Amino acid sequence: MSARPNDYAAYPDANGRFGMFGGQYVPETLMPLVHDLTAAWGAAKTDPAFKAELDGYLKHYVGRPSPLYFAERLTKHFGGAKIYLKREELNHTGSHKINNCMGQILLAMRMGKTRIIAETGAGQHGVAAATVCARFGLPCIVYMGAVDVERQKPNVFRMNLLGAEVRPVTSGSATLKDAMNEALRDWVTNVEDTYYLIGTAAGMHPYPEMVRDFQAVIGREVREQIMEAEGRLPDAIMACIGGGSNAIGIFHPFLADEGVKLIGVEAAGEGMDTERHAAAINGGRPGVLHGNMTYLLQDTEGQITEAHSISAGLDYPGIGPEHSWLHDVGRATYLTATDLESLDAYKLCAELEGILPAIESAHALARVGDVARDVGKDGIVVLNLSGRGDKDVATVAAHLGMRI
Amino acid sequence: MSTSRIDARFAALKAEGRAGFVAYVMAGDPDYATGLAILKGLPGAGADLIEVGFPFSDPMAEGPPIQRAALRALGEGMTLSKTLEMIAEFRQGDQTTPIILMGYANPLVSRGFEAFAREAAAAGVDGLIVVDIPPEEAGPLADALDAAQVSLIRLATPTTDDERMTVVVRRTSGFVYYVSVAGVTGVKEADAAVVAPHVTRVRKASGLPVAVGFGIKTPERAAAIARVADAVVVGSALVDEVALAAELNEDVTSRVLSKVESLSKAVRSARVGQTTTV
């Protein structure tokens, strides 16, 4: 890689590549649609009217800006750097997912599309997609692995209440990757009227770039808020990583600030010494799936292997291509946290701060003590609290051996 | 040289004034031995060309029949290496029937394009179709295949307009595969009247024979397509026979081959008595 310092924000290149990662590995039937989308997104992103419309909905419907909150008791507990939480869990629908959905639904309507499809793992993206579809009166079909339908029942019911049809996917491992396969099969079948609202910064170009840009509102706000609170940029920014949209959203506005460490936390499941994890960068190698080249969990023959995480939102064998690239060029660091470490962090955050974090976000919380101590007492760490944890109480109870 | 097997077969078909029948089978479905027996029996049952699918865990453009076939094969330990072994075994007894490998990018990326192309050529593979490598991403693969003299077969679809067609047919050889419906394999039905003008369009843009597939399940439908295309591909209906034979406790090989016979017969006789050639 020959990327110069401060040059990171120039990616992807014209071919949708972040170094060797990204690209457009899709069936020929979809290529014209992907090109249409690239053109429509290219026009929208430079259109002041599009930005004004999106900003309006983000403010009045989503509830932005989300607060940047000094977590005093967590800070004291770990005894290191000051820990700030970016409160994305306070957004409408309870996670960062709505930022992207609001942007994409406006784009879909601009393109004249009349039917929305989406995939979901934990159901947070499905709920956000169903929400914007309800708001703008468009039919919404959400593909969800049958295993996830079972472990995230409240979110399935929420989607139904919002008028979306949830289609359980039983093929393959019946989790997020299979939901994405099924959504792609729907799109290739309904090429005239359908818009595929991908929930993370992965898939074929332009999705990784587009979803990142919609989520970058998180990092832009953090920049302003931390300057106001501390008069300087933070020493480290942390986020959990499944596909990696909340992480790239908070990282991206800081890529050029080499003094700001960017730290992603992947799901180590039952441990990195087992095969039951979902850490694509720490436990995978580059390959092609769902339209892009990126780090993937796979066997020696290139078959995709099943991911495992207590968190349905991180239970995916791949990762967004920009993260693969930031890892390879060394601009970001990717740590891991196990199921048990994340459960402990979930409880700690609840007890010390009065905030139930999403079990996804709890993966980042599981490493925040290490990072805060590493940065040291005079330092500042910002952690993206990407979602709220009410949806996870049944999972947490089960792991604590309790019935609720 | 391997490319010539495809060219020679289409030249022979043209001389006979008929369309070719292309049988798609999933390598190692339901197991290696049976898969090999089916492969060996296909030319005798009337397959003019053979497409051999190599299984992938996440086949995003396949309908349920081929998804299930891939899972059966993977469950029996089928791999890309074993697929090539199987083709090499087939080649020992058949030097003329073209073999086209069909599948998804990641097993090839995992192997490395150069190594794969060399091994494929050595095994007797004539062409390759990769569903999720469009022309935009095909450069490195095309280079490797060119060096090994294996044809890169391209897919054209109902969403391919004239402008894009010039991109699609670049660096392709052997034939072009026209996907007759927008959708996954084995679900929607192909309509010969709708397909015909597209076949003409693809043929004109590529200067190559055009095979039509996706959504062709019955001898009647195959015959209708055979009147307008240079070759007819049937896949899902054949792999469904594998599942059905297992369910009915029948011999898988004979059940698949008898389906191939009925389909190829329909294709062979489709243009008999037809005065105009296509």
Side-chain angles (χ1 to χ4, degrees), chain A residues 17 24 28 35 177 185, chain B residues 57-59 136-137 159 164:
Chain A
R17 293 268 178 177
Q24 296 180 311
E28 181 56 35
H35 285 315
K177 83 174 171 74
R185 288 175 188 133
Chain B
S57 51
D58 295 83
E136 283 82 348
E137 303 291 354
T159 59
R164 179 151 182 88

Side-chain angles (χ1 to χ4, degrees), chain A residues 20-41:
Chain A
M20 70 175 278
F21 301 104
Q24 296 180 311
Y25 295 89
V26 297
E28 181 56 35
T29 306
L30 288 180
M31 278 309 289
L33 285 75
V34 168
H35 285 315
D36 284 352
L37 177 62
T38 307
W41 164 238

Side-chain angles (χ1 to χ4, degrees), chain A residues 22-90:
Chain A
Q24 296 180 311
Y25 295 89
V26 297
E28 181 56 35
T29 306
L30 288 180
M31 278 309 289
L33 285 75
V34 168
H35 285 315
D36 284 352
L37 177 62
T38 307
W41 164 238
K45 72 179 171 185
T46 54
D47 181 351
F50 183 80
K51 184 178 184 303
E53 190 183 14
L54 177 57
D55 287 349
Y57 285 114
L58 289 179
K59 182 177 180 189
H60 299 292
Y61 189 76
V62 174
R64 304 207 68 89
S66 67
L68 182 70
Y69 159 75
F70 173 48
E72 194 178 348
R73 297 191 71 207
L74 274 177
T75 299
K76 199 178 221 177
H77 176 81
F78 290 117
K82 290 172 95 169
I83 297 168
Y84 281 84
L85 302 178
K86 177 61 173 166
R87 302 286 305 274
E88 287 297 298
E89 100 282 10
L90 293 177

Side-chain angles (χ1 to χ4, degrees), chain B residues 234-257:
Chain B
V234 177
S236 297
L238 295 182
V239 304
D240 265 349
E241 293 297 313
V242 175
L244 207 54
E247 219 171 273
L248 300 171
N249 214 7
E250 286 181 25
D251 182 63
V252 175
T253 308
S254 53
R255 195 170 170 108
V256 172
L257 293 181

Side-chain angles (χ1 to χ4, degrees), chain B residues 124-148:
Chain B
V125 169
D126 302 287
L128 174 70
I129 300 173
V130 192
V131 177
D132 55 349
I133 300 190
E136 283 82 348
E137 303 291 354
L141 177 63
D143 292 344
L145 293 178
D146 282 352

Side-chain angles (χ1 to χ4, degrees), chain B:
Chain B
M1 163 179 149
S2 53
T3 304
S4 68
R5 260 197 295 257
I6 299 175
D7 296 342
R9 182 52 50 101
F10 275 104
L13 290 167
K14 194 171 185 183
E16 285 180 52
R18 68 174 180 89
F21 178 67
V22 186
Y24 171 99
V25 290
M26 176 63 73
D29 175 30
D31 55 60
Y32 186 95
T34 313
L36 179 60
I38 292 171
L39 202 55
K40 285 180 171 170
L42 284 173
D48 298 299
L49 293 90
I50 301 171
E51 277 182 22
V52 177
F54 54 98
F56 181 51
S57 51
D58 295 83
M60 65 167 158
E62 311 299 344
I66 294 180
Q67 289 176 39
R68 287 192 292 259
L71 286 180
R72 286 194 297 269
L74 288 171
E76 287 292 318
M78 201 59 193
T79 61
L80 183 57
S81 321
K82 287 185 191 169
T83 302
L84 295 178
E85 269 173 46
M86 180 179 279
I87 290 166
E89 279 196 64
F90 168 86
R91 270 283 167 256
Q92 287 172 9
D94 185 313
Q95 298 299 321
T96 55
T97 308
I99 295 258
I100 318 298
L101 271 182
M102 184 163 181
Y104 290 80
N106 203 47
L108 308 177
V109 171
S110 176
R111 174 63 54 93
F113 292 151
E114 283 78 18
F116 162 77
R118 274 195 312 272
E119 291 162 17
V125 169
D126 302 287
L128 174 70
I129 300 173
V130 192
V131 177
D132 55 349
I133 300 190
E136 283 82 348
E137 303 291 354
L141 177 63
D143 292 344
L145 293 178
D146 282 352
Q149 296 184 316
V150 173
S151 291
L152 179 59
I153 312 287
R154 278 281 159 68
L155 302 170
T157 78
T159 59
T160 313
D161 62 17
D162 287 341
E163 191 188 337
R164 179 151 182 88
M165 193 68 78
T166 61
V167 177
V168 165
V169 301
R170 206 175 290 155
R171 297 195 74 177
T172 192
S173 58
F175 64 95
V176 179
Y177 187 132
Y178 182 70
V179 174
S180 63
V181 294
V184 295
T185 48
V187 177
K188 288 184 187 172
E189 278 196 305
D191 182 337
V194 174
V195 164
H198 291 291
V199 171
T200 309
R201 210 158 59 88
V202 179
R203 209 183 270 137
K204 201 170 154 196
S206 65
L208 293 169
V210 178
V212 173
F214 278 47
I216 304 166
K217 298 173 191 173
T218 62
E220 296 72 28
R221 187 78 49 176
I225 298 291
R227 290 186 196 104
V228 302
D230 301 301
V232 180
V233 188
V234 177
S236 297
L238 295 182
V239 304
D240 265 349
E241 293 297 313
V242 175
L244 207 54
E247 219 171 273
L248 300 171
N249 214 7
E250 286 181 25
D251 182 63
V252 175
T253 308
S254 53
R255 195 170 170 108
V256 172
L257 293 181
S258 106
K259 183 82 177 181
V260 170
E261 274 170 27
S262 72
L263 288 161
S264 68
K265 205 174 286 173
V267 168
R268 276 163 197 266
S269 55
R271 291 193 211 151
V272 172
Q274 194 169 295
T275 48
T276 54
T277 55
V278 288

Side-chain angles (χ1 to χ4, degrees), chain A residues 313-363:
Chain A
L314 305 183
D315 205 347
Y316 180 69
I319 184 169
E322 193 164 6
H323 287 296
S324 292
W325 175 68
L326 291 173
H327 167 72
D328 272 18
V329 299
R331 177 64 188 93
T333 305
Y334 295 87
L335 309 174
T336 63
T338 64
D339 290 350
L340 292 176
E341 289 172 324
S342 306
L343 281 165
D344 286 345
Y346 180 103
K347 285 189 287 177
L348 189 71
C349 187
E351 287 162 12
L352 291 184
E353 296 292 349
I355 298 169
L356 290 183
I359 193 70
E360 288 79 15
S361 320
H363 283 70

